[in-house]
Amino acid sequence: EKGGYDHFMLKEIHEQPKSIMDTMRGRLLVEKGIIQMAGIWDYQEKFLNAKRIIIISCGTSWHAGLIGEYLIEDLARIPVEVEYASEFRYRNPIITDEDIVIAISQSGETADTLAALKLAKEKGAFIYGICNVVDSSIARLTDAGSYTHAGPEIGVASTKAFTAQLAVLTMIAIKLAKHKGTISKEKFNSLLTELESIPVKVEQVIKDTEEQVKKIAELYVNVNNFLYLGRGYNYPVALEGALKLKEISYIHAEGYPAAEMKHGPIALIDENMPVVVIAPKTTHYDKIVSNIQEINSRKGKVIAIVTQEDSQVKNIVSQAIEIPAVSEYFVPILASVPLQLLAYDIAVMRGVNVDQPRNLAKSVTVE
Ligand code: F6R
């Protein structure tokens, strides 16, 4: 059932070109120039008039939510807040019937997320679900939604469900932007075309980086700490990369927005502290380059995710992992893949149970 792979996690990493495509199938209709999502279309007025959108989730799904915030605010210009379900439900949140809540959950059974949604529903919010498990408790509670079609995810560490969540959030953001008129028709069409090419590019990233990432993992298998940094769309990617590493390899890892480094974490940097920097040639490129220089001058080792053919970053880091050049909206999907592989390889080399890490459950049905 592992399809020839040693672990479900590796199988699921490799399934991503397909799971992203399955999630876009029937929705991303490039020829017709539309994104077809009944759940959004049927409640279009609600979305277009929403005062704000609140995204509620936990763990990896919360990281997808953060990327959703950047996408929806940037493209559709609707204010978005992203909340940990466990914090939201216990802090007497302000919520009204003019709010839209988007719940993101792979399992659809996460106790805190479910309870937070019940609370929001009682207060009159409209609830939209992004779940992977059909007919799960969260899916049943929502007013509308879009399933991710990632297929069953067995490995405890979420991989293909995460990138499928990003695919759904990207489609929602682009669709809302079109209906709101916040992007031009030309931009809408070019985003559609580019999004359609992402599964093939994910496939290319897996093919091009798998062996290289294994070699990088060998170099760092025995370190005790890792820092992950990114800016803008790639700040949540850094958080997710760090979570993947800590949960399956048991190495302490922290994700930070790169600019926050000088407000504390920089004190940790020395020759024993590898820093993974997501540094594509998109917005904030120069700023991320100067962050890398700051790490270098403290002798930190930088592993960077860079855009293909960008030699500037390559020349100043210990290891550079290349991803194809895409618009910044799509970088998180591509950049996440080598980070999943890195966590996987390090965990395997440390001889731990990758698919079933200690203390963790696939579906967190208790708070
Ligand atoms: C990490 C991971 C968890 C889940 C979290 C929420 O790899 O899988 O952090 O993302 O427990 O689960 P769902 O998405 O099922 O609500």
Side-chain angles (χ1 to χ4, degrees):
E1 6 73 87
K2 288 181 198 148
Y5 291 98
D6 289 343
H7 299 96
F8 283 109
M9 183 179 175
L10 188 61
K11 171 174 178 262
E12 288 161 3
I13 290 171
H14 277 264
E15 277 171 356
Q16 291 177 108
K18 179 172 186 300
S19 52
I20 296 168
M21 203 141 59
D22 289 345
T23 297
M24 301 194 308
R25 179 166 301 117
R27 292 170 170 159
L28 185 72
L29 307 178
V30 179
E31 308 273 87
K32 289 190 182 162
I34 56 171
I35 293 177
Q36 191 168 288
M37 296 175 97
I40 302 287
W41 180 255
D42 294 347
Y43 297 95
Q44 205 187 146
E45 288 305 306
K46 253 191 149 44
F47 272 96
L48 298 186
N49 298 325
K51 289 254 161 47
R52 60 175 182 168
I53 292 174
I54 303 171
I55 299 180
I56 295 178
S57 42
C58 301
T60 289
S61 297
W62 185 78
H63 296 152
L66 286 178
I67 296 166
E69 173 183 21
Y70 283 71
L71 286 164
I72 294 169
E73 289 203 346
D74 197 359
L75 292 167
R77 311 303 296 152
I78 302 170
V80 179
E81 286 167 36
V82 188
E83 303 259 9
Y84 279 121
S86 55
E87 287 300 315
F88 179 84
R89 63 182 286 208
Y90 287 122
R91 68 169 174 78
N92 193 13
I94 297 167
I95 183 145
T96 73
D97 58 10
E98 289 177 311
D99 292 321
I100 288 184
V101 166
I102 299 182
I104 308 177
S105 177
Q106 187 286 127
S107 64
E109 302 297 341
T110 303
D112 277 319
T113 307
L114 189 59
L117 295 183
K118 284 183 180 153
L119 177 71
K121 198 168 189 166
E122 270 165 31
K123 295 189 186 253
F126 174 78
I127 318 279
Y128 197 89
I130 301 175
C131 295
N132 195 47
V133 177
V134 174
D135 212 30
S136 51
S137 305
I138 292 172
R140 274 184 272 123
L141 185 131
T142 56
D143 297 301
S146 309
Y147 281 113
T148 46
H149 297 296
E153 192 180 62
I154 312 290
V156 164
S158 186
T159 53
K160 63 173 179 170
F162 174 69
T163 47
Q165 289 165 349
L166 295 184
V168 167
L169 288 161
T170 306
M171 288 188 288
I172 290 176
I174 299 173
K175 184 170 175 65
L176 290 177
K178 182 193 185 191
H179 296 317
K180 273 218 124 165
T182 47
I183 56 172
S184 66
K185 194 154 179 26
E186 292 69 39
K187 177 150 182 175
F188 176 78
N189 287 330
S190 80
L191 290 174
L192 251 53
T193 307
E194 201 176 357
L195 183 54
E196 193 186 36
S197 76
I198 293 301
V200 171
K201 293 192 168 117
V202 169
E203 183 138 43
Q204 191 187 329
V205 170
I206 297 173
K207 210 167 102 240
D208 294 351
T209 67
E210 195 165 29
E211 284 313 306
Q212 183 199 7
V213 170
K214 223 175 258 169
K215 296 208 176 79
I216 296 173
E218 278 167 16
L219 301 173
Y220 296 99
V221 65
N222 290 318
V223 306
N224 296 318
N225 298 284
F226 256 93
L227 195 59
Y228 286 70
L229 302 175
R231 280 176 179 260
Y233 282 93
N234 298 310
Y235 151 51
V237 175
L239 297 180
E240 173 60 9
L243 177 61
K244 286 288 89 89
L245 185 71
K246 76 184 113 183
E247 69 178 330
I248 61 166
S249 74
Y250 315 144
I251 295 174
H252 170 236
E254 285 192 63
Y256 259 94
E260 277 295 303
M261 184 173 70
K262 53 170 72 69
H263 298 283
I266 199 164
L268 293 168
I269 294 174
D270 62 14
E271 64 278 12
N272 301 315
M273 178 64 125
V275 187
V276 176
V277 185
I278 300 109
K281 197 150 191 179
T282 49
T283 325
H284 317 307
Y285 176 73
D286 293 339
K287 295 197 187 298
I288 206 93
V289 169
S290 61
N291 291 134
I292 292 172
Q293 282 155 345
E294 286 157 11
I295 301 165
N296 283 344
S297 61
R298 285 157 188 86
K299 303 203 166 47
K301 300 240 165 30
V302 175
I303 304 160
I305 308 277
V306 304
T307 303
Q308 246 157 35
E309 269 143 51
D310 171 28
S311 52
Q312 192 186 352
V313 171
K314 240 195 224 168
N315 290 336
I316 56 168
V317 298
S318 301
Q319 284 86 31
I321 301 167
E322 294 186 350
I323 58 171
V326 290
S327 302
E328 61 181 335
Y329 316 109
F330 310 111
V331 171
I333 296 180
L334 300 187
S336 292
V337 173
L339 301 185
Q340 296 166 347
L341 288 168
L342 181 66
Y344 172 79
D345 289 330
I346 291 180
V348 169
M349 288 172 197
R350 287 167 76 104
V352 296
N353 188 340
V354 175
D355 282 334
Q356 199 51 263
R358 65 189 183 200
N359 310 337
L360 289 171
K362 183 66 187 159
S363 182
V364 185
T365 53
V366 291
E367 68 167 293

